[in-house]
Amino acid sequence: MAALTDSVTTLAELKTRVLAFVRERDWEQFHAPKNLSMALAAEAGELMEHFLWATPEQSRAIAADATKRGKIAEELADVVIYALEFANITGLDVSAAIEAKMTANAKKYPVEKSRGRSDKYTEL
Amino acid sequence: MAALTDSVTTLAELKTRVLAFVRERDWEQFHAPKNLSMALAAEAGELMEHFLWATPEQSRAIAADATKRGKIAEELADVVIYALEFANITGLDVSAAIEAKMTANAKKYPVEKSRGRSDKYTEL
Amino acid sequence: MAALTDSVTTLAELKTRVLAFVRERDWEQFHAPKNLSMALAAEAGELMEHFLWATPEQSRAIAADATKRGKIAEELADVVIYALEFANITGLDVSAAIEAKMTANAKKYPVEKSRGRSDKYTEL
Amino acid sequence: MAALTDSVTTLAELKTRVLAFVRERDWEQFHAPKNLSMALAAEAGELMEHFLWATPEQSRAIAADATKRGKIAEELADVVIYALEFANITGLDVSAAIEAKMTANAKKYPVEKSRGRSDKYTEL
């Protein structure tokens, strides 16, 4: 089996793989939106744990550290797996949702007003 | 511009769009792995908020509710946007990470032992 | 040393103990509000992990299970420790903040309108 | 009613107030450990949101900012309220749990080895 890479893999392919894994184990019964949102948040917490006491600058070095990078990739994978499975069971299209959200964000954060600033749109 | 959908959109296309949005606003300076992991976890928390007091079964109805579905899609989009941007700034390949994680999960959760069970692999 | 219990222990006593532990290790330098809020959220994620796939009813049994109760108590302790240390370094009074928040909540959720309902106040 | 402050308020007093608020509204039915752990994590996410793009140093200034301090105190109060209610419904003693956890932490993080270091105990 050829390895998957972001340049050639569609969201639908990943979603299909995740769903097949789940169905093979008869786990759909556990995958209510409530439960998947919890699992997603818990995995996001595990991703954060790599960076708790580091400064933002130090966190760049941590993510580049060969001894930690593999574990960080695993946590990121867990987050996206649960996000895709959430989309599977709710019938949401992730790409369409992202496109719509980015269009909305572009209005909230016009380039001229938000360039180089981290303020929330309500404070721009 | 044609609308994006999961069936034809690659991870790389979404990553590129997110990065372009960020660069146009000169926001890469704020996107240390530490900060993005926090933003991702905070958005995961917002997704959860839709389901706090519902039973798992009720949460399926909430996610199908026309008046709530749009907001839920937005929170999911936010989660995936931050996950993709985390991949952008750390140079991780999401698809490869997911494939590797699912291969590892398949060993931890063999079909015969885990079918219909929600136990952690350490308790199977 | 007599064991601490909730009936006789003030918030200030717990805060003082946490701060002493931190200062003895010269850890105040790491305890910026940002970092403590991350640690708190990560520990909250660990507490959730005990209940991911359970129904709410099953979660009551899990919390009562003698083999799991000790670990759950540890996660809860971690959460409160970080909350108290957050209060230490920001100079916030937890009891006063809770009293103020409950007074505000009592207005948002009048007894007659909210009895037996889990709806958000904006939907009552 | 005299205002509560940390120096004179016991954990039990706060727990009793939270429980009275909940019972008056007949909300115990919603307060399964699963649901409370989600609510706690969601509130921890809201606390984090104040500090997402700030450096740790900047986060100290944010927490001291008169215009933001009140909102931050509210989020902290929400976190502790849910933690106390979790203790209420599971019958856990927060002070005892903290004392036990700090004793365990003192062994994992001996003063000589951990002074001035943010490393996890497994890496000391």
Side-chain angles (χ1 to χ4, degrees):
Chain A
M1 183 180 68
L4 299 181
T5 62
D6 288 346
S7 55
V8 297
T9 308
T10 63
L11 276 287
E13 282 176 69
L14 288 182
K15 283 166 81 173
T16 299
R17 281 176 182 247
V18 170
L19 190 58
F21 188 97
V22 168
R23 288 200 170 148
E24 207 176 1
R25 284 159 186 78
D26 194 18
W27 281 355
E28 278 184 292
Q29 62 187 303
F30 304 118
H31 285 190
K34 178 185 177 94
N35 296 357
L36 288 170
S37 72
M38 286 177 80
L40 205 172
E43 295 297 342
E46 293 188 17
L47 183 62
M48 271 200 306
E49 285 190 20
H50 292 273
F51 310 114
L52 293 184
W53 311 114
T55 64
E57 279 319 298
Q58 289 167 339
S59 78
R60 296 184 194 264
I62 290 169
D65 182 327
T67 67
K68 293 176 181 160
R69 195 166 172 75
K71 194 80 185 99
I72 290 169
E74 281 186 41
E75 317 285 20
L76 182 66
D78 280 330
V79 164
V80 182
I81 286 170
Y82 282 124
L84 294 174
E85 176 62 355
F86 188 97
N88 275 333
I89 58 124
T90 55
L92 289 170
D93 190 286
V94 175
S95 304
I98 287 180
E99 186 171 37
K101 192 55 169 42
M102 286 183 66
T103 301
N105 284 350
K107 282 180 192 150
K108 282 201 228 170
Y109 296 97
V111 170
E112 320 77 52
K113 288 177 85 175
S114 55
R115 185 178 291 125
R117 297 179 58 181
S118 64
D119 303 276
K120 201 169 177 181
Y121 68 94
T122 46
E123 301 182 2
L124 284 177
Chain B
M1 181 180 67
L4 299 181
T5 64
D6 287 347
S7 55
V8 297
T9 308
T10 63
L11 276 287
E13 282 175 69
L14 289 181
K15 284 166 81 173
T16 298
R17 279 175 183 248
V18 170
L19 191 58
F21 188 96
V22 168
R23 287 200 170 149
E24 207 176 0
R25 284 158 186 79
D26 193 17
W27 282 354
E28 278 184 293
Q29 59 186 305
F30 304 118
H31 285 193
K34 177 185 179 94
N35 296 358
L36 289 170
S37 72
M38 287 177 78
L40 205 172
E43 295 296 343
E46 293 188 15
L47 183 63
M48 273 200 305
E49 285 190 19
H50 292 273
F51 311 113
L52 292 184
W53 312 114
T55 64
E57 279 319 295
Q58 290 167 338
S59 78
R60 296 184 195 264
I62 291 169
D65 183 325
T67 66
K68 293 177 181 161
R69 195 168 172 74
K71 194 81 184 102
I72 291 169
E74 281 186 42
E75 317 284 20
L76 182 66
D78 280 331
V79 164
V80 182
I81 287 169
Y82 283 125
L84 294 174
E85 175 63 355
F86 187 97
N88 275 333
I89 58 125
T90 57
L92 288 170
D93 189 287
V94 175
S95 304
I98 287 180
E99 185 171 39
K101 192 55 170 39
M102 287 183 66
T103 301
N105 284 350
K107 283 182 191 150
K108 283 200 227 170
Y109 296 97
V111 170
E112 320 79 49
K113 289 177 84 175
S114 54
R115 187 179 288 125
R117 299 180 59 182
S118 63
D119 303 275
K120 200 169 178 181
Y121 68 94
T122 47
E123 299 181 5
L124 284 177
Chain C
M1 180 179 70
L4 299 181
T5 63
D6 287 347
S7 56
V8 297
T9 308
T10 62
L11 276 288
E13 282 176 70
L14 288 182
K15 283 166 81 172
T16 299
R17 280 175 183 248
V18 170
L19 190 57
F21 188 96
V22 167
R23 288 199 169 150
E24 209 175 0
R25 284 159 185 80
D26 194 17
W27 282 354
E28 279 184 292
Q29 61 187 304
F30 305 117
H31 285 192
K34 177 183 178 97
N35 296 357
L36 288 170
S37 72
M38 286 177 80
L40 206 173
E43 294 297 342
E46 293 189 15
L47 184 62
M48 273 201 305
E49 286 189 19
H50 292 273
F51 311 114
L52 293 185
W53 312 114
T55 64
E57 279 320 294
Q58 290 167 339
S59 78
R60 296 184 196 264
I62 290 169
D65 182 326
T67 66
K68 293 177 181 160
R69 195 167 171 75
K71 193 80 184 103
I72 290 169
E74 280 186 42
E75 316 285 20
L76 182 66
D78 280 330
V79 165
V80 182
I81 287 170
Y82 283 124
L84 294 174
E85 176 62 355
F86 188 96
N88 275 332
I89 58 125
T90 56
L92 288 170
D93 189 287
V94 176
S95 305
I98 287 180
E99 185 170 39
K101 193 57 171 38
M102 287 183 66
T103 300
N105 284 349
K107 282 181 193 150
K108 283 200 227 170
Y109 297 96
V111 170
E112 321 78 51
K113 288 177 85 174
S114 56
R115 186 180 288 124
R117 299 181 57 183
S118 62
D119 303 276
K120 198 167 179 183
Y121 67 94
T122 47
E123 300 181 3
L124 284 177
Chain D
M1 181 181 67
L4 300 181
T5 62
D6 288 345
S7 56
V8 297
T9 308
T10 63
L11 277 285
E13 282 176 69
L14 288 182
K15 284 166 81 173
T16 298
R17 280 176 182 247
V18 170
L19 191 57
F21 188 97
V22 168
R23 288 200 168 148
E24 207 175 2
R25 284 158 185 78
D26 194 18
W27 283 354
E28 278 184 292
Q29 60 187 305
F30 305 118
H31 286 191
K34 177 185 178 93
N35 296 357
L36 289 170
S37 72
M38 285 177 80
L40 205 173
E43 294 297 343
E46 293 188 16
L47 183 62
M48 271 200 307
E49 285 189 20
H50 293 273
F51 311 114
L52 293 185
W53 311 114
T55 64
E57 279 319 297
Q58 289 167 338
S59 78
R60 296 183 194 264
I62 291 169
D65 182 326
T67 67
K68 293 176 181 160
R69 195 168 171 74
K71 193 81 185 99
I72 290 169
E74 280 186 42
E75 317 284 20
L76 182 66
D78 280 330
V79 164
V80 182
I81 286 170
Y82 283 124
L84 295 174
E85 176 62 356
F86 188 97
N88 276 332
I89 58 125
T90 56
L92 288 170
D93 190 286
V94 175
S95 304
I98 287 180
E99 185 171 38
K101 192 57 170 41
M102 286 183 67
T103 301
N105 283 350
K107 282 180 194 153
K108 281 201 229 171
Y109 296 96
V111 170
E112 321 78 51
K113 288 177 84 175
S114 55
R115 185 179 290 125
R117 298 181 57 182
S118 63
D119 304 274
K120 199 168 179 183
Y121 68 95
T122 46
E123 300 182 3
L124 284 177

